[in-house]
Structure formats: C-alpha cells, structure tokens
Amino acid sequence: MLHHIIVKWNANVDKEAAAQKVHLLYAGAAKIPGIQQVEIRENIIPRDNRYDIMIVLNMEESALSAWDQSELHRQWKAQFGPLMEKKCIFDCESPTI
C-alpha cells in the first residue's frame, strides 16, 4: 500500500529548512520491516491553499502498526507535530506495473 502523509506547515515555519530535516529523518524509514520505499515531494506552487510537503511510504499494509509504534514515527510527531497547521493521511493500494 501507499501511506501518504501530506502536511501544511505553520505560517512561521522555514519550509526549506523543515523539508531538509524531513528528508534526514525519513532517510532510515525503509529499514523498518515492511517498508520498501520512501518518497518525499515538496510543493512547487506557493499558494495559501496548498500543502507544503508529501511523504509517501510504500509499505505492506500489515506494517502499519509497526510504523505507528516505531521510534522514527515518534520522532516525526514530536519534532514536526508542533510545526504543522494541518495534515492529511491517505492510504491506498500500490499500483501494479
């Protein structure tokens, strides 16, 4: 499945610096059992109604509980939670090629 985390930063957040820190934190995510790949995309259109960053974890559906309980996920919530105006979580099937 694809686990999307889509975030809009608070107005006072340095978006570029935050994105760099997100990339560093998520660099080790694929080491968590059941997570195959991580992709991070940053918004390129700076409008008020846009979200700022999207993290996509390509993972086994059964790994979601392990992800939720992982140290990386706890660090994500502690470090970045206060910086978020809002976030969206969206899970869907992985495309087959």
Side-chain angles (χ1 to χ4, degrees):
M1 78 172 197
L2 297 178
H3 178 70
H4 298 77
I5 306 161
I6 307 168
V7 172
K8 181 169 183 65
W9 301 122
N10 289 326
N12 62 341
V13 170
D14 179 337
K15 295 175 185 181
E16 191 173 313
Q20 289 175 355
K21 291 176 183 176
V22 169
H23 281 275
L24 287 173
L25 179 63
Y26 275 84
K31 295 177 184 172
I32 297 171
I35 298 178
Q36 291 85 34
Q37 184 180 11
V38 178
E39 187 175 344
I40 300 172
R41 300 289 179 141
E42 297 167 47
N43 180 43
I44 60 169
I45 305 295
R47 292 186 181 171
D48 288 341
N49 66 343
R50 300 292 195 267
Y51 281 68
D52 298 302
I53 195 165
M54 179 177 70
I55 304 155
V56 182
L57 301 174
N58 188 337
M59 63 192 298
E60 298 169 20
E61 190 173 337
S62 60
L64 189 57
S65 292
W67 165 250
D68 286 342
Q69 297 172 17
S70 71
E71 181 59 29
L72 192 156
H73 189 247
R74 282 193 280 272
Q75 288 176 354
W76 160 250
K77 292 177 85 169
Q79 184 176 355
F80 293 96
L83 306 179
M84 296 179 200
E85 178 181 322
K86 52 187 167 180
K87 73 176 179 178
C88 173
I89 307 296
F90 181 79
D91 299 317
C92 63
E93 291 184 19
S94 296
T96 54
I97 298 174

